[in-house]
Amino acid sequence: MSQADPSGLGRARAVGFVLPGLVLIGVFLVFPALWTIYLGLTDYRLTGLAAADPQVVGVDNYTTALGDERFRNSLWLTLQYVLGSAVIGQAVLGFAIAWVLRNRPGPVKRITEGLVLLAWILPSSVVAFLWIALLDRDDGTLNTLLHTPGFAWLLDYPMLSIIVFNVWRGTAFSMMLYGAALENVPPSHLETARLAGASTLQQLRDVVFPRIKGHVLTNLLLISLWTFNDFTSFQLTAGGPEGRSEILPVYIYNVALSGGQLGFGAAISFLVLLINLVFAFVYLRLLRDRRKVVVP
Amino acid sequence: MISLSGLTKEFPGGVRAVDSLDLEIGDGEFFALLGPSGCGKTTLLRSIAGLETPTSGKIRISGNDVTALPPGRRNVAMVFQDYALFPHMDVTSNIAYPLRIKKVSRSRREARAAETASRLSLSELLARRPGQLSGGQQQRVALARAIASHPQVFLFDEPLSNLDARLRLEARTFLKRLQRELAVTTVFVTHDQGEALALADRIAVMNAGRIMQVGTPSEVFHRPIGTFVAGFIGSTPMNLLPASAEGGRLHVAGAVLPLPGDIADGPLVYGLRPEYADLSQSAPTGRRDVFSGKVAVVENLGAAHLVTLDSGDLLIQVVVPEGDEPAVGAPAWAVPRTGRALLYRDDRLLTVA
Ligand SMILES: Nc1ncnc2c1ncn2[C@@H]1O[C@H](COP(=O)(O)OP(=O)(O)OP(=O)(O)O)[C@@H](O)[C@H]1O
Ligand SMILES: [Mg+2]
């Protein structure tokens, strides 16, 4: 038996085992991705002449997109959405909850964690419906609570509404991740800092963050990607009013499926993919630098 | 000076780890808290540090009531059993950390770290990280960090327990000399009574959240106040035998001994350290003040042997010098030295016999 073949299957049978998986990946991942790239170079439409006979238009779609006010606005909104709801909202709030609950006795911790988790595991359509009921102009719970009848939250503050919504919905993940990370911080290290007179912020800076840096990076990468590609807000505002909450996934949907411009939508999807790759690349670089520092 | 009055710490669930405890520790004293596992030593130390909030009672340091002060304002430094060095900081930054929090300027705190490090022979290691140090070096860095901030009180929680036996002896000598030079009040937790006897000016022996006895090593060793302390202190456990006083004589395990002074008739406990009896392998003629038995176990202690005699339903242990050890199963006699045995009644020391 050669060393290159530790399982002793032989080349033919090994390929036989791997093939079904490769075929599935090919059919459902690689092909659609390549197809999207191709579509992005055409003027393919959902209906009409260009649907029957799409023409290759080169990088026209990309130049149009980059010059398009609506696209640039959408990109800007997405940035706000990611920064506001993921990086600031979910990560900071999730960490804060995990930190406060870190050595709370049983029931307080379990109940809080349970409530936060509930927001995470409910199906998005159910959650969206609940939030519409909460924010509704006429009979909304929030208006009743605040005594502001007739206030249209989703119309007057669409971005704020979906950011708060996404924070509420996604904080559980960060909370659990940081909760687990904080278990790795030895109590004696925190206590040494406390004995030296360190404030809470100094304890976080000197003891906690150096320990959980890797967790923070992983967390930020995952939630930024998820939020960047999140479509749930469509069920609250559908991107409106007048595109004021039209983040990229919603924009693509509106352009490609509602507007029927499949080719243009595909080009934007490809841009989104590139942005995601940049996120992942930056993260991997940071993580590698960190390894270098820890093991000199 | 540290003074504790009525200090009690009850954990949720009803464990009284420290139970209405009173204690005074003098300025510059090297004070050991000694006791079996789970008796509340760490909890007591952490209460002095401010890391545990006492359920009731008062803690005073140099006359100031610090019971309600946070740890950072008590001017104490603690060395933890795991040393708690920050892995991402080099040795200099670790030692200088408390000074950095106190906003001492960088140049001054680095000078202070270097000075402290040289005193603990760490000068070569200043640029290393804790992960690149041996256990003994880490322990000294942790000490240096405690020393560099010039606290009023040092608190050590089993600082030597992670070192191997050889290094522990070295570190012990070193620690004692260092404490003498610095003359800072030091409270130090251990469950190794050898360590406590060797290091401390005074020892508090604890059991189940209470202090059983406070005294110098010699007091605690020679005149343990109750049978718990008697059994706990000593490298080989003391023989504690049921005895009774009858008509001016002491009856213990088949032997009849003279009874000192004015002890009323009744049951007693007779305590004799294995070091304070001699073993005879031939029957001492005409004497009733010896314990007879059969050799059950012989344990090698290096320069001596610990012989366990089976005397009826009691076991009596005797330390015999090298070369004199009997064969297992042979008959033997243990002769107590006079003035070395301790008599207890109702768990209180009555007298020395
Ligand atoms: N956080 C806690 N919650 C509940 N009980 C505790 C807690 N910490 C300690 N205890 C209990 O308090 C008692 C004393 O504990 P402590 O750690 O002070 O013992 P110790 O004398 O230091 O023991 P060791 O020599 O094993 O370190 C033990 O019964 C322990 O189980
Ligand atoms: Mg302990």
PDB file of all heavy atoms in Angstrom, chain A residues 182-198:
ATOM      1  N   LEU A 182     -15.400  34.464  27.748  1.00  0.00           N
ATOM      2  CA  LEU A 182     -15.067  34.998  29.072  1.00  0.00           C
ATOM      3  C   LEU A 182     -14.734  33.885  30.070  1.00  0.00           C
ATOM      4  O   LEU A 182     -14.027  34.108  31.045  1.00  0.00           O
ATOM      5  CB  LEU A 182     -16.213  35.860  29.606  1.00  0.00           C
ATOM      6  CG  LEU A 182     -16.369  37.217  28.917  1.00  0.00           C
ATOM      7  CD1 LEU A 182     -17.585  37.950  29.444  1.00  0.00           C
ATOM      8  CD2 LEU A 182     -15.129  38.058  29.117  1.00  0.00           C
ATOM      9  N   GLU A 183     -15.261  32.683  29.799  1.00  0.00           N
ATOM     10  CA  GLU A 183     -14.901  31.567  30.674  1.00  0.00           C
ATOM     11  C   GLU A 183     -13.402  31.278  30.604  1.00  0.00           C
ATOM     12  O   GLU A 183     -12.844  30.656  31.493  1.00  0.00           O
ATOM     13  CB  GLU A 183     -15.640  30.300  30.250  1.00  0.00           C
ATOM     14  CG  GLU A 183     -17.117  30.491  30.077  1.00  0.00           C
ATOM     15  CD  GLU A 183     -17.902  29.805  31.162  1.00  0.00           C
ATOM     16  OE1 GLU A 183     -17.725  28.597  31.322  1.00  0.00           O
ATOM     17  OE2 GLU A 183     -18.672  30.509  31.850  1.00  0.00           O
ATOM     18  N   ASN A 184     -12.768  31.707  29.520  1.00  0.00           N
ATOM     19  CA  ASN A 184     -11.336  31.453  29.345  1.00  0.00           C
ATOM     20  C   ASN A 184     -10.471  32.442  30.090  1.00  0.00           C
ATOM     21  O   ASN A 184      -9.257  32.311  30.076  1.00  0.00           O
ATOM     22  CB  ASN A 184     -10.956  31.561  27.866  1.00  0.00           C
ATOM     23  CG  ASN A 184     -11.446  30.373  27.104  1.00  0.00           C
ATOM     24  OD1 ASN A 184     -11.573  29.297  27.667  1.00  0.00           O
ATOM     25  ND2 ASN A 184     -11.739  30.568  25.831  1.00  0.00           N
ATOM     26  N   VAL A 185     -11.078  33.479  30.648  1.00  0.00           N
ATOM     27  CA  VAL A 185     -10.280  34.473  31.358  1.00  0.00           C
ATOM     28  C   VAL A 185     -10.145  34.004  32.804  1.00  0.00           C
ATOM     29  O   VAL A 185     -11.138  33.906  33.503  1.00  0.00           O
ATOM     30  CB  VAL A 185     -10.948  35.857  31.310  1.00  0.00           C
ATOM     31  CG1 VAL A 185     -10.110  36.873  32.050  1.00  0.00           C
ATOM     32  CG2 VAL A 185     -11.175  36.278  29.876  1.00  0.00           C
ATOM     33  N   PRO A 186      -8.920  33.670  33.251  1.00  0.00           N
ATOM     34  CA  PRO A 186      -8.779  33.146  34.610  1.00  0.00           C
ATOM     35  C   PRO A 186      -9.197  34.196  35.631  1.00  0.00           C
ATOM     36  O   PRO A 186      -8.773  35.351  35.530  1.00  0.00           O
ATOM     37  CB  PRO A 186      -7.283  32.854  34.735  1.00  0.00           C
ATOM     38  CG  PRO A 186      -6.747  32.886  33.360  1.00  0.00           C
ATOM     39  CD  PRO A 186      -7.638  33.770  32.554  1.00  0.00           C
ATOM     40  N   PRO A 187     -10.027  33.844  36.611  1.00  0.00           N
ATOM     41  CA  PRO A 187     -10.457  34.809  37.613  1.00  0.00           C
ATOM     42  C   PRO A 187      -9.274  35.453  38.320  1.00  0.00           C
ATOM     43  O   PRO A 187      -9.316  36.644  38.641  1.00  0.00           O
ATOM     44  CB  PRO A 187     -11.278  33.975  38.596  1.00  0.00           C
ATOM     45  CG  PRO A 187     -11.649  32.739  37.863  1.00  0.00           C
ATOM     46  CD  PRO A 187     -10.618  32.518  36.813  1.00  0.00           C
ATOM     47  N   SER A 188      -8.205  34.701  38.523  1.00  0.00           N
ATOM     48  CA  SER A 188      -7.070  35.274  39.259  1.00  0.00           C
ATOM     49  C   SER A 188      -6.450  36.437  38.487  1.00  0.00           C
ATOM     50  O   SER A 188      -5.902  37.357  39.095  1.00  0.00           O
ATOM     51  CB  SER A 188      -6.022  34.210  39.543  1.00  0.00           C
ATOM     52  OG  SER A 188      -5.504  33.689  38.349  1.00  0.00           O
ATOM     53  N   HIS A 189      -6.536  36.428  37.151  1.00  0.00           N
ATOM     54  CA  HIS A 189      -5.983  37.540  36.379  1.00  0.00           C
ATOM     55  C   HIS A 189      -6.805  38.806  36.613  1.00  0.00           C
ATOM     56  O   HIS A 189      -6.258  39.883  36.837  1.00  0.00           O
ATOM     57  CB  HIS A 189      -5.963  37.201  34.887  1.00  0.00           C
ATOM     58  CG  HIS A 189      -4.937  36.162  34.547  1.00  0.00           C
ATOM     59  ND1 HIS A 189      -4.391  36.028  33.296  1.00  0.00           N
ATOM     60  CD2 HIS A 189      -4.361  35.213  35.303  1.00  0.00           C
ATOM     61  CE1 HIS A 189      -3.514  35.046  33.305  1.00  0.00           C
ATOM     62  NE2 HIS A 189      -3.490  34.530  34.504  1.00  0.00           N
ATOM     63  N   LEU A 190      -8.134  38.641  36.571  1.00  0.00           N
ATOM     64  CA  LEU A 190      -8.992  39.797  36.836  1.00  0.00           C
ATOM     65  C   LEU A 190      -8.773  40.304  38.256  1.00  0.00           C
ATOM     66  O   LEU A 190      -8.748  41.513  38.512  1.00  0.00           O
ATOM     67  CB  LEU A 190     -10.461  39.406  36.653  1.00  0.00           C
ATOM     68  CG  LEU A 190     -10.929  39.309  35.202  1.00  0.00           C
ATOM     69  CD1 LEU A 190     -12.323  38.726  35.128  1.00  0.00           C
ATOM     70  CD2 LEU A 190     -10.904  40.698  34.582  1.00  0.00           C
ATOM     71  N   GLU A 191      -8.597  39.365  39.174  1.00  0.00           N
ATOM     72  CA  GLU A 191      -8.447  39.763  40.568  1.00  0.00           C
ATOM     73  C   GLU A 191      -7.120  40.469  40.796  1.00  0.00           C
ATOM     74  O   GLU A 191      -7.033  41.406  41.595  1.00  0.00           O
ATOM     75  CB  GLU A 191      -8.594  38.537  41.475  1.00  0.00           C
ATOM     76  CG  GLU A 191     -10.054  38.117  41.562  1.00  0.00           C
ATOM     77  CD  GLU A 191     -10.264  36.733  42.138  1.00  0.00           C
ATOM     78  OE1 GLU A 191      -9.272  36.009  42.330  1.00  0.00           O
ATOM     79  OE2 GLU A 191     -11.430  36.386  42.378  1.00  0.00           O
ATOM     80  N   THR A 192      -6.083  40.017  40.082  1.00  0.00           N
ATOM     81  CA  THR A 192      -4.796  40.712  40.185  1.00  0.00           C
ATOM     82  C   THR A 192      -4.958  42.162  39.737  1.00  0.00           C
ATOM     83  O   THR A 192      -4.458  43.085  40.389  1.00  0.00           O
ATOM     84  CB  THR A 192      -3.746  40.003  39.316  1.00  0.00           C
ATOM     85  OG1 THR A 192      -3.605  38.668  39.778  1.00  0.00           O
ATOM     86  CG2 THR A 192      -2.413  40.698  39.399  1.00  0.00           C
ATOM     87  N   ALA A 193      -5.688  42.342  38.636  1.00  0.00           N
ATOM     88  CA  ALA A 193      -5.906  43.705  38.151  1.00  0.00           C
ATOM     89  C   ALA A 193      -6.718  44.507  39.160  1.00  0.00           C
ATOM     90  O   ALA A 193      -6.417  45.672  39.434  1.00  0.00           O
ATOM     91  CB  ALA A 193      -6.611  43.665  36.798  1.00  0.00           C
ATOM     92  N   ARG A 194      -7.736  43.871  39.739  1.00  0.00           N
ATOM     93  CA  ARG A 194      -8.549  44.596  40.725  1.00  0.00           C
ATOM     94  C   ARG A 194      -7.717  44.997  41.931  1.00  0.00           C
ATOM     95  O   ARG A 194      -7.867  46.091  42.480  1.00  0.00           O
ATOM     96  CB  ARG A 194      -9.709  43.713  41.194  1.00  0.00           C
ATOM     97  CG  ARG A 194     -10.933  43.808  40.296  1.00  0.00           C
ATOM     98  CD  ARG A 194     -11.952  42.771  40.680  1.00  0.00           C
ATOM     99  NE  ARG A 194     -12.556  43.022  41.969  1.00  0.00           N
ATOM    100  CZ  ARG A 194     -13.185  42.079  42.682  1.00  0.00           C
ATOM    101  NH1 ARG A 194     -13.273  40.849  42.219  1.00  0.00           N
ATOM    102  NH2 ARG A 194     -13.730  42.380  43.829  1.00  0.00           N
ATOM    103  N   LEU A 195      -6.835  44.091  42.374  1.00  0.00           N
ATOM    104  CA  LEU A 195      -5.993  44.407  43.530  1.00  0.00           C
ATOM    105  C   LEU A 195      -5.046  45.554  43.216  1.00  0.00           C
ATOM    106  O   LEU A 195      -4.668  46.317  44.105  1.00  0.00           O
ATOM    107  CB  LEU A 195      -5.194  43.172  43.948  1.00  0.00           C
ATOM    108  CG  LEU A 195      -5.969  42.192  44.819  1.00  0.00           C
ATOM    109  CD1 LEU A 195      -5.291  40.845  44.854  1.00  0.00           C
ATOM    110  CD2 LEU A 195      -6.092  42.735  46.233  1.00  0.00           C
ATOM    111  N   ALA A 196      -4.651  45.664  41.954  1.00  0.00           N
ATOM    112  CA  ALA A 196      -3.783  46.776  41.573  1.00  0.00           C
ATOM    113  C   ALA A 196      -4.578  48.071  41.499  1.00  0.00           C
ATOM    114  O   ALA A 196      -3.994  49.141  41.373  1.00  0.00           O
ATOM    115  CB  ALA A 196      -3.118  46.486  40.234  1.00  0.00           C
ATOM    116  N   GLY A 197      -5.907  47.957  41.562  1.00  0.00           N
ATOM    117  CA  GLY A 197      -6.742  49.149  41.526  1.00  0.00           C
ATOM    118  C   GLY A 197      -7.305  49.457  40.158  1.00  0.00           C
ATOM    119  O   GLY A 197      -7.773  50.571  39.922  1.00  0.00           O
ATOM    120  N   ALA A 198      -7.259  48.491  39.236  1.00  0.00           N
ATOM    121  CA  ALA A 198      -7.728  48.743  37.875  1.00  0.00           C
ATOM    122  C   ALA A 198      -9.243  48.919  37.845  1.00  0.00           C
ATOM    123  O   ALA A 198      -9.976  48.178  38.494  1.00  0.00           O
ATOM    124  CB  ALA A 198      -7.316  47.604  36.958  1.00  0.00           C
TER     125      ALA A 198
END
